[in-house]
Amino acid sequence: MSKITDIGEVTSTVSYMDAHKDDFGHGDIAITHNQTAGRGQRGNSWEAEPGKNLTFSFMMRDIMVPAHEQFAISEAVAVAIANVLRRYVEGVKIKWSNDIYAGDKKICGILIENSLLGSKIVYSTAGIGINVNQQLFTSPAPNPVSLLQLTGKEYSLEALIKEFSDELIARIEPLRTPQYRAYMRKLDVEYKEMLYRADGKFYPFALPDGTQFDAQITDVAPDGKLTLTLTDGTQRGFYFKEVVFII
């Protein structure tokens, strides 16, 4: 069972957990109800109205997966969060690499940071921001949404964090056993079944230079590389920050 520590107002739970890593064991959570400078992927910030949402970090230790396959950790965390959210709303998907969407709107952001020593993962932290009871978003982010907006109901943050904690532990635990590779194969299938816009249709994407093109999602490799098939049948691979969805 997780130890859940309320760390008060903090700039970033990920930064806090990293700075105090010796205080957190496997499965422990650092949570704040007022994160003033939440960190997201690609250097983005995360908007969270104090006391209305879940902003926390989850510590993972003794992961047996080798460093070059560390994307399995990202898959496990994303699948865990998506599974819990699916208990409350329909249409929950994982947008590559690990944002969680409800329809075409973002309900959760995830940032995974791994501490490596050679080919070994020493520990990993997952910074997670989930929009729960926030009614109005004011940041430039184009498409945020909360559980409250989707369902018209307010939720207990204390009850929800326990749900997410239990599901995260259940999804990560098999990666700490000698049988982790068989579990990774099953996890990869589940992750791909949950992928946003991985339905065989063509969707618009953009390169960092602004070039736009249509493509369909074909695969995600064990290292997280996304394979897209263009309309002319050619395939291209992309790592994080090398391509963006147009929504």
Side-chain angles (χ1 to χ4, degrees):
M1 184 174 179
S2 293
K3 177 184 73 175
I4 301 175
T5 302
D6 189 333
I7 56 177
E9 181 178 306
V10 69
T11 54
S12 162
T13 61
V14 172
S15 297
Y16 181 93
M17 182 168 273
D18 187 57
H20 300 83
K21 56 183 176 295
D22 293 339
D23 296 334
F24 295 95
H26 175 71
D28 287 349
I29 284 175
I31 189 170
T32 176
H33 296 295
N34 188 14
Q35 183 170 250
T36 59
R39 293 158 52 192
Q41 290 186 359
R42 301 179 178 88
N44 296 331
S45 61
W46 180 259
E47 177 188 0
E49 183 180 346
K52 295 291 186 179
N53 307 293
L54 287 176
T55 46
F56 63 98
S57 285
F58 177 77
M59 173 64 77
M60 294 163 279
R61 294 188 181 275
D62 303 318
I63 303 295
M64 298 192 71
V65 176
H68 70 277
E69 294 179 296
Q70 61 189 264
F71 188 68
I73 299 172
S74 183
E75 288 183 317
V77 172
V79 167
I81 299 300
N83 273 337
V84 174
L85 288 172
R86 284 182 167 191
R87 299 170 190 170
Y88 298 94
V89 291
E90 296 180 353
V92 172
K93 294 284 187 177
I94 302 168
K95 186 173 80 66
W96 179 82
S97 58
N98 55 15
D99 285 335
I100 310 299
Y101 269 48
D104 289 324
K105 293 184 178 292
K106 183 175 178 178
I107 194 169
C108 171
I110 300 170
L111 175 65
I112 308 289
E113 293 194 348
N114 300 304
S115 176
L116 307 179
L117 182 61
S119 63
K120 179 179 174 58
I121 299 172
V122 181
Y123 68 90
S124 300
T125 54
I128 301 166
I130 304 168
N131 299 327
V132 181
N133 294 322
Q134 187 159 337
Q135 182 65 57
L136 179 66
F137 294 89
T138 59
S139 75
N143 59 344
V145 72
S146 68
L147 279 175
L148 172 63
Q149 290 175 326
L150 290 168
T151 68
K153 301 176 183 178
E154 289 198 2
Y155 297 85
S156 164
L157 299 182
E158 290 75 18
L160 280 177
I161 191 62
K162 292 177 182 177
E163 282 194 65
F164 285 113
S165 171
D166 289 346
E167 186 72 14
L168 283 164
I169 290 173
R171 289 290 171 173
I172 290 295
E173 201 61 28
L175 296 178
R176 304 171 73 227
T177 71
Q179 294 76 36
Y180 72 88
R181 196 162 295 282
Y183 173 69
M184 282 174 59
R185 291 192 290 270
K186 297 177 182 178
L187 178 65
D188 189 56
V189 171
E190 191 168 4
Y191 173 85
K192 290 173 181 176
E193 288 176 345
M194 289 186 175
L195 266 184
Y196 174 73
R197 290 187 172 177
D199 55 6
K201 298 179 181 178
F202 286 87
Y203 292 96
F205 293 85
L207 301 178
D209 64 5
T211 302
Q212 297 187 12
F213 61 96
D214 290 340
Q216 61 181 193
I217 294 175
T218 304
D219 193 22
V220 180
D223 62 355
K225 188 175 186 178
L226 177 71
T227 298
L228 298 178
T229 300
L230 281 60
T231 53
D232 63 2
T234 60
Q235 292 187 340
R236 293 187 61 183
F238 300 92
Y239 287 107
F240 309 132
K241 303 184 182 182
E242 294 182 346
V243 69
V244 295
F245 290 72
I246 299 177
I247 300 172

